[in-house]
Amino acid sequence: MRISCPPFDPVHCDDPDLLDSAFYAHGDPHALWARLRAENPVYRCDPGDGREPFWVVTRHQDVSRVLRDYETFSSRRGTMLCIVDLSMPDIASDDMMPDTDPPRHRQLREPLNRALTPRAVSEQKEPIREIVRSVLRPALDGRTIDIAQEALMFPMAFTGTLMGLPQEHWPRMAELTTRTIAYDDPDYSTGSPTSTVRQAHHELFEFFREEISRRVPTDPGTDLIGILRSMELDEGPLSERQLILNCYALLLGANVTTPHALSTMVALMGEHPEQFRMAREDPGLRAGCVREVLRWSSPASHFMRYATRDVDLGGGTIRTDEPVSVWLGSANRDERAFDDPYRFDITRHPNRHLAFGIGPHYCIGAGLAQLGLRVFLDELLDLVAEVEPAGEVAHLASNFVAGYKSMPVRLVPRHRNAPTVVGSE
Ligand code: HEM
């Protein structure tokens, strides 16, 4: 998705088609969101083709309220606007962590959460550094690399490790997870949108089924799949189906988001070299730089909830059972929440971005993603003097993920004998 700034080209937003994936590949969602925030912050979008209307919430304060108030805005009927009919029941309801509400949600989340705290994942720091170096070092000879493509494998390498997934499957799994969210992107579609998603799900679920059955029944193991296998729900272990769905949630959460924050970081280093020079000179600014890259990129564009009662929000009345989508990319540019929101500023303080959501479903992988981005930043600053654009950028056609398909760049190396500076913060 294009990350645009004002002054925006005039856009036709009288009847915006927020479901249309092509709009995210070729249109200007930031321009539309700015207008919605100003004129219609809780907007009822009616696709007008028989699909169910849904609410579009674009201001930071309203987005936070929806995500926090799980009693009024439930996750049980699904959390993504997608190709399926929004009035249909969700097959993962109450079984897959993202599609449950507290208190059941806590039972699924807490054991995994303990394994994913920033402290718990800090052991991954050096392995992640090796992965980052293996991506960056070959690119220092002046060749053009497509950082968007390189980045796709990055989360697979650490989430695949934490889940104990065999490495030979990683490239295919990365491809399949992207297909589930870019089902009508010509480069990822394998038929109709529905069949693309079904085929990708089928193959991914088979990977997980095989992986689960490969494990010794009496020894669940200590990796994330092991934790899922030792969990209790409804007074017993998770069923095979519940195991598969939760493996899928973890992998999808990591794979479809992290690469785009990383590519955006590289693009930003090209566009705002002075900000990255500051971060190079002062490692104390690097955590802020990662936060600002997350605000700027907002890789997960929206999430969805269903109203459990009639509720007034931002001047509109949402009725029981109606779907409500919240737009994180828009909330992260809300002029009511951020000073000069279209300025990329690594010293921004406070920076209450919503890239990881907020409330009970706050991203469980946030610690891992931030560690990965931080190590990537440290290595980028250490190894690369400058980023030069080297061709046309292409955006992913997806209403869910704000991402890149292609970003050709050249990385200009720093002096070969420059000392290695790794931030301490
Ligand atoms: C830059 C990277 C990432 C971004 C921007 C991101 C974004 C988000 C957001 C916005 C949510 C909230 C969803 C909601 O409210 O319904 C979420 C939840 C989730 N994320 Fe992430 N995520 C990232 C990385 C990861 C990683 C690395 C993992 C895997 C370890 C992961 C796994 C999940 C899971 C399983 C959930 C559901 C949590 C729950 O329902 O309690 N994410 N993510």
Side-chain angles (χ1 to χ4, degrees):
M1 193 183 82
R2 185 141 74 95
I3 301 184
S4 62
C5 294
F8 296 117
D9 291 338
V11 279
H12 302 289
C13 349
D14 295 339
D15 193 14
D17 187 354
L18 279 149
L19 290 176
D20 180 13
S21 307
F23 174 61
Y24 301 86
H26 308 294
D28 192 354
H30 276 284
L32 172 60
W33 293 335
R35 182 146 166 210
L36 286 176
R37 279 197 309 278
E39 295 171 10
N40 210 345
V42 179
Y43 159 74
R44 191 167 181 275
C45 178
D46 186 348
D49 56 5
R51 284 178 297 175
E52 196 180 349
F54 56 95
W55 291 91
V56 174
V57 179
T58 45
R59 285 188 186 167
H60 191 282
Q61 189 180 4
D62 297 332
V63 169
S64 304
R65 161 142 187 236
V66 170
L67 293 180
R68 281 190 165 125
D69 183 358
Y70 61 87
E71 283 172 332
T72 308
F73 300 101
S74 167
S75 294
R76 290 184 60 214
R77 287 178 55 195
T79 62
M80 282 158 66
L81 289 168
C82 52
I83 42 170
V84 294
D85 187 342
L86 291 176
S87 60
M88 295 286 283
D90 173 20
I91 58 138
S93 180
D94 284 340
D95 287 329
M96 186 171 79
M97 180 181 23
D99 297 9
T100 53
D101 291 336
R104 187 179 177 84
H105 169 254
R106 272 195 289 277
Q107 280 179 268
L108 281 167
R109 178 166 167 126
E110 273 172 10
L112 287 170
N113 208 18
R114 282 195 288 275
L116 289 168
T117 59
R119 194 164 171 189
V121 297
S122 62
E123 280 176 22
Q124 294 297 313
K125 192 169 184 178
E126 290 318 308
I128 292 175
R129 195 181 307 287
E130 283 317 305
I131 299 162
V132 172
R133 286 182 178 158
S134 71
V135 171
L136 293 180
R137 282 211 167 119
L140 295 174
D141 63 0
R143 76 178 77 163
T144 296
I145 60 161
D146 187 337
I147 194 70
Q149 285 299 315
E150 296 284 340
L152 287 179
M153 278 306 292
F154 180 64
M156 195 64 238
F158 51 83
T159 314
T161 307
L162 283 176
M163 293 179 77
L165 299 171
Q167 196 165 349
E168 71 264 23
H169 297 324
W170 292 357
R172 183 68 182 159
M173 293 183 118
E175 161 84 20
L176 291 170
T177 41
T178 308
R179 275 193 203 165
T180 66
I181 53 91
Y183 41 77
D184 48 12
D185 188 305
D187 289 327
Y188 287 100
S189 153
T190 54
S192 71
T194 321
S195 74
T196 302
V197 175
R198 284 211 180 113
Q199 279 171 26
H201 279 168
H202 179 74
E203 213 181 308
L204 278 167
F205 292 0
E206 278 310 309
F207 273 129
F208 291 127
R209 196 187 313 281
E210 209 175 288
E211 186 52 33
I212 290 161
S213 64
R214 199 171 64 80
R215 311 261 174 138
V216 184
T218 49
D219 176 16
T222 53
D223 57 26
L224 295 179
I225 295 185
I227 293 171
L228 285 168
R229 288 177 74 225
S230 35
M231 256 183 208
E232 293 229 332
L233 193 70
D234 302 325
E235 291 165 15
L238 300 194
S239 65
E240 184 190 65
R241 184 174 162 281
Q242 289 168 330
L243 285 171
I244 291 172
L245 285 171
N246 285 289
C247 287
Y248 172 67
L250 284 168
L251 197 71
L252 186 77
N255 276 7
V256 303
T257 50
T258 324
H260 307 296
L262 199 141
S263 313
T264 307
M265 183 188 284
V266 173
L268 285 165
M269 187 170 173
E271 290 160 17
H272 299 276
E274 75 298 342
Q275 298 272 316
F276 285 77
R277 254 193 308 276
M278 275 159 49
R280 180 179 293 124
E281 281 156 21
D282 181 357
L285 294 176
R286 294 183 191 178
C289 182
V290 168
R291 268 196 299 278
E292 184 68 341
V293 167
L294 283 160
R295 183 185 78 89
W296 198 258
S297 57
S298 300
S301 267
H302 78 263
F303 274 98
M304 206 181 56
R305 302 293 189 254
Y306 282 82
T308 58
R309 61 176 177 88
D310 290 359
V311 57
D312 292 334
L313 185 77
T317 301
I318 297 172
R319 303 278 172 210
T320 310
D321 282 341
E322 286 183 338
V324 181
S325 61
V326 296
W327 294 79
L328 305 174
S330 171
N332 281 342
R333 293 292 190 282
D334 188 349
E335 7 330 76
R336 291 152 206 82
F338 301 97
D339 288 338
D340 204 355
Y342 295 94
R343 189 184 71 235
F344 176 76
D345 177 4
I346 68 168
T347 65
R348 181 179 293 283
H349 183 78
N351 187 346
R352 297 197 184 94
H353 73 77
L354 295 179
F356 291 123
I358 196 167
H361 292 274
Y362 177 80
C363 178
I364 199 168
L368 189 58
Q370 284 172 114
L371 176 68
L373 290 168
R374 174 56 192 268
V375 172
F376 191 86
L377 176 65
D378 286 341
E379 293 302 309
L380 195 64
L381 295 174
D382 187 27
L383 297 171
V384 177
E386 267 174 65
V387 174
E388 292 174 347
E392 198 132 328
V393 165
H395 302 281
L396 204 58
S398 168
N399 63 30
F400 179 58
V401 170
Y404 294 98
K405 251 187 344 188
S406 175
M407 185 191 288
V409 290
R410 260 188 305 274
L411 306 179
V412 180
R414 293 183 75 208
H415 191 270
R416 237 170 243 286
N417 300 321
T420 301
V421 181
V422 175
S424 54
E425 207 211 6

